[in-house]
Amino acid sequence: PRPNVDTPSKEARGKMLHPFLKKAHLGGRGVLACLYAYLNARIPQLHRFCVNCDHTHIGILGGLNEPIRPSVCRRDLCSWAFTELGVGSASAYELASTAEVVDLLLAITTAAATSDRSSKILDPFPLLVNHNGERYLDPDEPDYLKARDVISKLPSMQQIVATNNEEDLEKICAERGEYVQGIFRWITSSCSAQLVSLSGDHRLTSMGTKFQFLMYSASPEREQAFVTAKRTHGSIFAFHGSPIENWHSILRGGVKNCSGTNLQLNGASYGPGVYLSPNASTSLGYSKVVKGSNYESIASSSRSENQFISGEQVKILALCEIIDDGTIKKADSIWVVANDEHVVTRFLFVFLPQSSDFNETVDKASRCSTTDTNFQSEISTVMENIKGNY
């Protein structure tokens, strides 16, 4: 039966409803119909709203920086609640179950903060608010030395995963500095991409490394646009390499066309666009992988009880899916895609130069090419195995 609309009045009840419900309710629909309309409209758009204040995120909707999962917005009150109270942060259980992902995020942001190019690549800049509600780290007035100091005090991943609850984690961070827990929460929650550590038949065996991650980097709207374009033009795969410090920005904004901007690190001999390669060996060079370099070796036995990424000298390579619409510029082993919305990262591969099998792993990965039918088949098989599991 219809609810009593006389007490309180329609107008009074309408003011108490969320705007999504209000429109449906005042149209004369029942409570269940209103609830269904609200959930149907809201659930696919949860990533657009702050988990604290429930308002849309500031200044990033509709672009490459749009988050793909619910997160805390940059408004001061929400930032204070996030920094001081942990509203919107991951639980200790979630951290334990995604330790390799958290370790990688910490390593990447640390590399960006300590880089000589931090003023260009530590983007987005952290936002930390102290217990008085004042901004300690402010994206509007970034202090890169202060950010470097706070980030350098982060505890090791071994210490973090050894905690049994939120109180233990808070204690460890507090021992290292006032803002350490805040920066830890910011790093783990500000990443707009979704990373999942892979194992077993969900890995690409040909890539050699056991540190492989599935990466969702596009918002639902952008992913849908990509799928639509893929149906029309088809898609192909290619590798993208970049130094570890650049991935702080890439994970939060996607792979972008940086040609002609202050973020451009290499030349643009083949014109503006996102530079990729069908050959892993070419892209590994852009990731600053130098086989046989004098890295400090870590014996495999010392890692037997700890499979987490060390956070030192990490090298990252991405496997991207790109729309094959005929506009890709191909010059031997270099491919250039002008429209960065036609590039979506699917996998991340991490290489540890200090591991004893580094050269062997790189040799194996270097033989991979997305133009090779066997490797194409392996990609298809792994993606099919993964489908529906994450």
Side-chain angles (χ1 to χ4, degrees):
R2 286 282 307 277
N4 188 335
V5 296
D6 298 322
T7 307
S9 66
K10 273 189 177 182
E11 291 73 20
R13 290 197 302 124
K15 290 179 181 180
M16 292 186 289
L17 293 173
H18 188 283
F20 277 102
L21 283 175
K22 182 177 178 181
K23 182 177 180 181
H25 171 67
L26 294 181
R29 300 163 68 181
V31 172
L32 292 180
C34 290
L35 180 60
Y36 173 79
Y38 168 72
L39 294 175
N40 195 43
R42 186 61 182 274
I43 290 177
Q45 301 189 64
L46 288 176
H47 62 289
R48 290 174 166 256
F49 296 87
C50 171
V51 298
N52 187 23
C53 70
D54 202 40
H55 287 82
T56 54
H57 286 276
I58 303 172
I60 60 175
L61 296 185
L64 292 177
N65 291 333
E66 184 170 89
I68 66 171
R69 58 179 179 177
S71 56
V72 176
C73 74
R74 295 180 295 166
R75 295 174 178 87
D76 284 359
L77 182 60
C78 293
S79 297
W80 175 85
F82 176 73
T83 302
E84 295 296 311
L85 306 178
V87 176
S89 62
S91 67
Y93 171 78
E94 290 173 313
L95 293 177
S97 63
T98 60
E100 288 183 346
V101 173
V102 174
D103 200 2
L104 182 60
L105 293 178
L106 298 182
I108 287 171
T109 300
T110 298
T114 56
S115 169
D116 293 337
R117 301 169 54 239
S118 61
S119 61
K120 297 178 181 179
I121 60 177
L122 190 58
D123 179 27
F125 187 84
L127 172 59
L128 292 184
V129 181
N130 62 24
H131 60 277
N132 293 322
E134 300 168 340
R135 291 190 175 191
Y136 181 74
L137 291 180
D138 186 353
D140 296 331
E141 298 179 3
D143 187 327
Y144 295 97
L145 291 178
K146 189 183 290 186
R148 178 184 299 186
D149 178 64
V150 175
I151 292 171
S152 67
K153 296 176 181 177
L154 284 164
S156 69
M157 198 62 211
Q158 288 76 14
Q159 290 176 303
I160 293 171
V161 297
T163 58
N164 296 316
N165 50 54
E166 296 284 353
E167 289 73 21
D168 289 347
L169 178 60
E170 183 175 353
K171 182 179 179 181
I172 289 176
C173 290
E175 290 173 351
R176 302 183 69 88
E178 179 181 357
Y179 297 98
V180 173
Q181 186 174 22
I183 197 66
F184 173 78
R185 286 172 173 165
W186 184 87
I187 291 172
T188 56
S189 298
S190 65
C191 178
S192 57
Q194 182 71 37
L195 295 174
V196 180
S197 181
L198 299 175
S199 60
D201 62 359
H202 293 168
R203 291 177 182 162
L204 289 166
T205 306
S206 297
M207 290 303 298
T209 178
K210 60 187 175 184
F211 296 109
Q212 301 189 20
F213 301 85
L214 181 66
M215 179 174 170
Y216 297 103
S217 60
S219 67
E221 292 82 3
R222 187 184 172 204
E223 182 68 32
Q224 184 57 50
F226 185 91
V227 170
T228 300
K230 179 179 175 179
R231 291 196 190 104
T232 302
H233 303 289
S235 68
I236 52 179
F237 285 85
F239 294 99
H240 179 75
S242 195
I244 180 175
E245 62 266 24
N246 289 352
W247 286 94
H248 170 82
S249 178
I250 295 173
L251 289 178
R252 292 161 175 81
V255 176
K256 294 181 179 180
N257 176 1
C258 295
S259 301
T261 72
N262 62 358
L263 295 177
Q264 180 178 327
L265 187 60
N266 301 291
S269 303
Y270 301 98
V274 178
Y275 277 61
L276 306 105
S277 176
N279 303 325
S281 57
T282 300
S283 294
L284 282 168
Y286 286 92
S287 298
K288 307 301 181 185
V289 172
V290 181
K291 190 178 67 172
S293 294
N294 187 27
Y295 295 108
E296 181 181 356
S297 179
I298 296 179
S300 58
S301 59
S302 69
R303 301 183 62 87
S304 60
E305 295 181 359
N306 183 9
Q307 298 300 314
F308 306 137
I309 298 166
S310 68
E312 300 175 1
Q313 302 173 330
V314 177
K315 309 298 180 182
I316 300 175
L317 179 69
L319 181 62
C320 303
E321 187 175 8
I322 54 182
I323 298 299
D324 190 16
D325 62 352
T327 64
I328 302 172
K329 294 182 181 179
K330 298 181 179 181
D332 296 325
S333 63
I334 301 295
W335 292 358
V336 183
V337 180
N339 185 354
D340 48 25
E341 293 195 3
H342 282 185
V343 180
V344 175
T345 302
R346 298 303 187 195
F347 296 92
L348 282 188
F349 307 102
V350 176
F351 301 87
L352 304 180
Q354 61 270 53
S355 63
S356 59
D357 61 348
F358 172 69
N359 288 334
E360 178 184 346
T361 300
V362 171
D363 274 337
K364 188 171 184 178
S366 296
R367 293 193 289 269
C368 292
S369 174
T370 58
T371 59
D372 178 72
T373 54
N374 291 329
F375 189 58
Q376 291 173 0
S377 177
E378 184 179 1
I379 295 173
S380 299
T381 299
V382 169
M383 294 193 71
E384 188 63 32
N385 291 340
I386 286 174
K387 190 181 298 181
N389 285 279
Y390 303 105

